[in-house]
Amino acid sequence: MGFKFETVKASRISENIAEQIRKAILEGELKIGDQLPPEKEFASHFGVSKSSLREAYRVLEAYGLLEIRQGMSGGAFIKEVDLTTVKDSLVNYFFFQNPGLREYTQIRTFIEPQVVRICAEKITAGDIEYLENNILAMEQKPDGKNFLGDLDIDFHKKLVDITGNKIISLVVETIQTALINIKRIVHTDELFLKMVCQDHKKIVAALKVHDPEKASKAMLEHINKVEKGMLASKNGSMIITEKGLLIQNQKN
């Protein structure tokens, strides 16, 4: 076995194994598609039981770094972490950290006005058509109780996709997903949805004439109006504040 893995201490056995394998992946010793040695052999190399090794595998699966295949040609294989796994982990983190709405607004104002500045230079007629159809779809299905989250996420995702920046795409899409989950909990109404559609139209109109200043201003105004609209929503099981989500007192 050519790997430089070490035997592990009794405490935190599975975490130690998982970290060694993760390090080997990040340093290029293990590559996407590589199969790890058979369980019995690998467990013996670490000086642990197969159950401890399997627990480490579960940790790596949760990271999105490992795929367990069943059958005759099965085993543990190194895999590429996909965007969905990373995004879902971040959304879960945001949920438990319960950041305030002001924190979401701050990060959005740092990033998204700059995103549309880039879009104003790079956007194509096909991109404009996509965004306009997205807005039209939202307008045709107004629903105050169930905010049309997928369409809203798609709108903002399209904008970051136009920039071609994968890091910005990850950050913006994750924030949008977290905010959509909150919008559903606090029950934003039909007026909120109409506001979103109107603001999206203003952003697209500025992009259509390739005006970065106008597009940036429209996005900033939209972000601030979203914050105000969400703070005003009081009909859900929870309310959103500048400091985070709060459970409402149940009415008798």
Side-chain angles (χ1 to χ4, degrees):
M1 191 181 302
F3 306 124
K4 300 176 182 178
F5 296 127
E6 304 171 355
T7 56
V8 296
K9 297 178 180 179
S11 60
R12 302 180 63 188
I13 291 174
S14 60
E15 290 91 340
N16 190 308
I17 297 169
E19 183 55 32
Q20 287 194 57
I21 296 173
R22 177 176 174 272
K23 183 179 179 182
I25 295 170
L26 297 180
E27 292 181 353
E29 292 181 38
L30 289 171
K31 296 179 173 57
I32 296 169
D34 284 352
Q35 182 177 5
L36 295 181
E39 280 189 0
K40 184 177 180 180
E41 178 185 350
F42 212 19
S44 176
H45 179 78
F46 281 115
V48 301
S49 66
K50 287 198 291 186
S51 61
S52 293
L53 181 64
R54 288 170 184 167
E55 188 176 343
Y57 283 179
R58 285 193 288 272
V59 172
L60 292 166
E61 280 187 288
Y63 288 161
L65 291 169
L66 200 66
E67 178 184 3
I68 306 299
R69 301 176 191 169
Q70 304 300 324
M72 293 294 294
S73 59
F77 293 83
I78 306 303
K79 62 172 288 191
E80 181 179 7
V81 178
D82 59 82
L83 179 60
T84 299
T85 300
V86 177
K87 185 183 70 175
D88 288 346
S89 295
L90 286 172
V91 169
N92 292 339
Y93 174 79
F94 290 158
F95 174 81
F96 286 107
Q97 290 298 310
N98 193 19
L101 188 56
R102 172 55 55 178
E103 293 176 80
Y104 284 111
T105 298
Q106 285 175 339
I107 189 64
R108 291 190 70 191
T109 56
F110 291 152
I111 297 175
E112 293 188 68
Q114 298 305 314
V115 165
V116 291
R117 282 179 179 274
I118 298 172
C119 289
E121 298 177 359
K122 301 180 67 173
I123 200 162
T124 66
D127 296 330
I128 293 293
E129 182 180 7
Y130 179 96
L131 294 170
E132 289 178 336
N133 287 336
N134 173 279
I135 297 169
L136 182 61
M138 289 189 76
E139 288 181 319
Q140 289 177 339
K141 297 180 181 180
D143 187 342
K145 292 184 179 179
N146 297 299
F147 186 85
L148 300 178
D150 290 342
L151 289 169
D152 195 17
I153 291 174
D154 286 347
F155 181 89
H156 290 275
K157 182 179 184 302
K158 181 63 176 178
L159 294 176
V160 291
D161 285 349
I162 293 169
T163 71
N165 189 309
K166 294 179 181 179
I167 298 175
I168 294 177
S169 180
L170 170 62
V171 173
V172 172
E173 191 175 347
T174 301
I175 293 170
Q176 286 296 327
T177 301
L179 283 173
I180 291 301
N181 291 339
I182 295 173
K183 289 170 185 176
R184 290 188 175 118
I185 292 173
V186 302
H187 286 190
T188 51
D189 57 19
E190 189 173 332
L191 288 176
F192 183 90
L193 176 59
K194 288 181 178 178
M195 177 273 290
V196 169
C197 289
Q198 289 302 314
D199 283 359
H200 284 187
K201 285 181 179 179
K202 292 177 183 178
I203 294 167
V204 174
L207 294 175
K208 204 168 185 176
V209 295
H210 303 280
D211 188 331
E213 289 296 331
K214 189 175 180 180
S216 179
K217 181 180 179 181
M219 178 60 81
L220 184 58
E221 290 177 352
H222 171 58
I223 293 168
N224 288 326
K225 284 163 72 175
V226 165
E227 179 184 282
K228 290 179 182 178
M230 290 179 69
L231 287 173
S233 297
K234 307 295 182 184
N235 296 321
S237 59
M238 293 185 179
I239 59 173
I240 184 71
T241 71
E242 290 188 357
K243 295 183 178 180
L245 281 167
L246 296 174
I247 298 176
Q248 286 188 309
N249 290 328
Q250 298 297 317
K251 296 179 181 179
N252 296 325

